[in-house]
Amino acid sequence: MPIRRFGGHRSLVSNSQRPKLSYGYTKMNISRGGYRVFSANSTTACTELAKKITERLGVELGKSVVYQESNSETRVDVKESVRGQDIFIIQTIPRDVNTAIMELLVMAYALKTSCAKNIIGVIPYFPYSKQCKMRKRGSIVCKLLAAMLAKAGLTHIITMDLHQKEIQGFFSFPVDNLRASPFLIQYIQEEIPDYRNAIIVAKSPSAAKRAQSYAERLRLGLAVMHGEANHSESDMADGRQSPPLSRVTTGHTGLELPLMMAKEKPPITVVGDVGGRIAIIIDDIIDDVEDFVAAAEILKERGAYKIYIMATHGLLSADGPRLIEESAIDEVVVTNTVPHEVQKLQCPKIKTVDVSMILAEAIRRIHNGESMAYLFRNIAVDD
């Protein structure tokens, strides 16, 4: 107990009697802070998924303005405090991919400099995911994008059905790669009449593992298409076969290496019986639809009486909707990871499955520090 002196005499003073000092601030709340959900899109069509997610969470969409200036520069203004909070940025990717990436980077950096506690990117379709391997003189753009997102301030990413699961290794922070297959399988069971008479089809050997996962869960057969009508991008001439520049060489001219034989791909064939069956083609992305249209024609010739296409991300670029409408494809089912309302107006065969439920649940669990294992039930390593 402190001692007070009065005229040379000492007296004891209790702690309750000591004067209290005020420094003009209140004690900081050290408990878990709140969270906000923002949309990084400047177009109205791309904010629909964000609105559905916030409705499921029971929160309002964060107040921000994202726009392009007259010189096409991206500007972001955050209209509310984010200090010490978990911030989730929902970014759906429209056709203008590069603008969407800049919007995400600028918003993440704005939130970082505004002292947000954690910045989590909700990117259902991760752009440049097809450029995840080294191709001749190219570059691994997907890895570059991962580094840019980390530099901008992101600390976590929620995405869905990456083109290659190994893409997660490009990031220096956690990545939750959710699956759309439960929603697409539910659609098959509820919306396709006589689906028990269906067969799951892989459009190429590289898609066989994904198709096998669907076939095993639906207890259906599996067929694999092999061969190509046209040369793929990897077989296109890139200058490596051009003769070297002529120069004078001295000494040893090099070893005689064995010549690698060029690949010769056979015409498209189907491994498996599709006669009298419903053919369901499974893939992760449907962008240029020419390959899907060609596959549907082959399956019709082999006796399939209905053709469905199931894909997570419906980019449907260029003349995709028109080609689908004029083809033998009966229905194309995609999720709403990418906005495609305009394409649906052009082609009534395109159907949408909503995946906002699992994205909202992922946000809730990450903010509350709960395990994400529930969202990956019955998901094997190979799925």
Side-chain angles (χ1 to χ4, degrees):
M1 184 175 293
I3 300 174
R4 180 181 297 175
R5 293 182 179 273
F6 292 97
H9 299 285
R10 298 187 300 176
S11 63
L12 298 179
V13 181
S14 65
N15 288 331
S16 61
Q17 293 175 324
R18 300 182 67 183
K20 296 180 179 180
L21 302 178
S22 175
Y23 294 95
Y25 61 85
T26 58
K27 183 180 180 181
M28 183 177 293
N29 183 8
I30 60 174
S31 62
R32 179 179 292 277
Y35 74 98
R36 293 284 187 275
V37 180
F38 287 88
S39 174
N41 286 114
S42 58
T43 56
T44 306
C46 296
T47 60
E48 292 301 320
L49 180 59
K51 291 178 180 177
K52 289 183 178 181
I53 292 174
T54 51
E55 286 175 3
R56 291 185 179 275
L57 290 170
V59 299
E60 293 183 357
L61 196 61
K63 297 178 177 62
S64 64
V65 179
V66 183
Y67 60 96
Q68 313 298 320
E69 296 202 7
S70 57
N71 62 352
S72 299
E73 287 185 359
T74 299
R75 183 176 289 274
V76 173
D77 292 328
V78 180
K79 300 296 186 180
E80 57 184 295
S81 175
V82 297
R83 182 179 296 271
Q85 300 189 46
D86 291 335
I87 306 300
F88 295 86
I89 309 175
I90 301 175
Q91 180 67 319
T92 51
I93 306 298
R95 290 191 175 186
D96 191 354
V97 177
N98 296 328
T99 297
I101 291 173
M102 278 305 301
E103 290 171 348
L104 177 60
L105 292 171
V106 174
M107 174 165 276
Y109 191 67
L111 294 168
K112 177 184 177 181
T113 54
S114 299
C115 299
K117 181 182 178 182
N118 295 301
I119 304 172
I120 299 96
V122 184
I123 315 172
Y125 166 65
F126 195 80
Y128 287 98
S129 58
K130 285 189 174 181
Q131 298 190 46
C132 62
K133 295 180 180 180
M134 192 68 181
R135 288 184 179 272
K136 299 177 180 177
R137 295 191 183 95
S139 61
I140 307 176
V141 184
C142 194
K143 184 176 181 180
L144 170 64
L145 181 55
M148 292 167 63
L149 293 173
K151 192 68 175 178
L154 263 69
T155 58
H156 197 140
I157 277 184
I158 303 171
T159 187
M160 181 167 283
D161 282 338
L162 288 170
H163 188 58
Q164 299 287 340
K165 295 188 293 296
E166 292 76 12
I167 290 174
Q168 296 173 81
F170 294 158
F171 294 87
S172 58
F173 50 77
V175 177
D176 286 311
N177 182 28
L178 303 177
R179 305 296 196 274
S181 52
F183 298 91
L184 296 176
I185 288 174
Q186 183 180 23
Y187 184 94
I188 293 172
Q189 293 172 326
E190 296 179 356
E191 302 296 333
I192 298 181
D194 195 23
Y195 82 92
R196 291 290 182 188
N197 189 37
I199 185 169
I200 303 297
V201 180
K203 184 174 63 69
S204 64
S206 60
K209 187 175 293 185
R210 188 185 303 271
Q212 181 182 358
S213 174
Y214 278 75
E216 291 175 351
R217 283 168 168 76
L218 290 166
R219 314 299 194 262
L220 299 176
L222 176 67
V224 179
M225 305 187 72
H226 176 59
E228 289 183 356
N230 301 315
H231 293 291
S232 66
E233 180 184 355
S234 59
D235 293 329
M236 294 173 62
D238 71 337
R240 287 197 173 189
Q241 310 302 327
S242 56
L245 296 175
S246 58
R247 56 186 179 183
V248 179
T249 60
T250 60
H252 188 56
T253 58
L255 300 175
E256 289 292 335
L257 297 175
L259 180 65
M260 177 65 74
M261 295 183 64
K263 291 183 179 180
E264 184 176 346
K265 297 188 178 181
I268 298 177
T269 57
V270 181
V271 181
D273 184 16
V274 299
R277 312 285 286 277
I278 301 171
I280 304 176
I281 302 176
I282 302 294
D283 215 331
D284 62 325
I285 300 172
I286 175 169
D287 189 1
D288 297 324
V289 303
E290 286 85 353
D291 290 344
F292 291 92
V293 171
E297 293 176 356
I298 296 294
L299 293 171
K300 278 286 186 181
E301 294 175 1
R302 298 294 191 277
Y305 68 92
K306 272 192 176 181
I307 312 292
Y308 289 83
I309 295 176
M310 298 278 173
T312 304
H313 311 295
L315 305 185
L316 302 168
S317 302
D319 293 332
R322 180 183 61 81
L323 295 174
I324 292 171
E325 186 65 24
E326 298 173 355
S327 71
I329 300 170
D330 292 281
E331 198 168 279
V332 174
V333 183
V334 293
T335 71
N336 57 344
T337 56
V338 177
H340 51 262
E341 295 303 317
V342 175
Q343 290 90 329
K344 288 177 69 175
L345 294 174
Q346 298 172 354
C347 178
K349 293 181 180 181
I350 301 172
K351 308 296 180 184
T352 306
V353 175
D354 182 23
V355 293
S356 62
M357 179 188 299
I358 192 171
L359 294 171
E361 181 63 14
I363 290 174
R364 188 192 68 80
R365 285 177 174 270
I366 289 175
H367 171 65
N368 292 331
E370 300 177 18
S371 172
M372 296 286 285
Y374 178 79
L375 304 181
F376 294 94
R377 292 173 302 166
N378 300 323
I379 301 294
V381 177
D382 294 334
D383 287 341

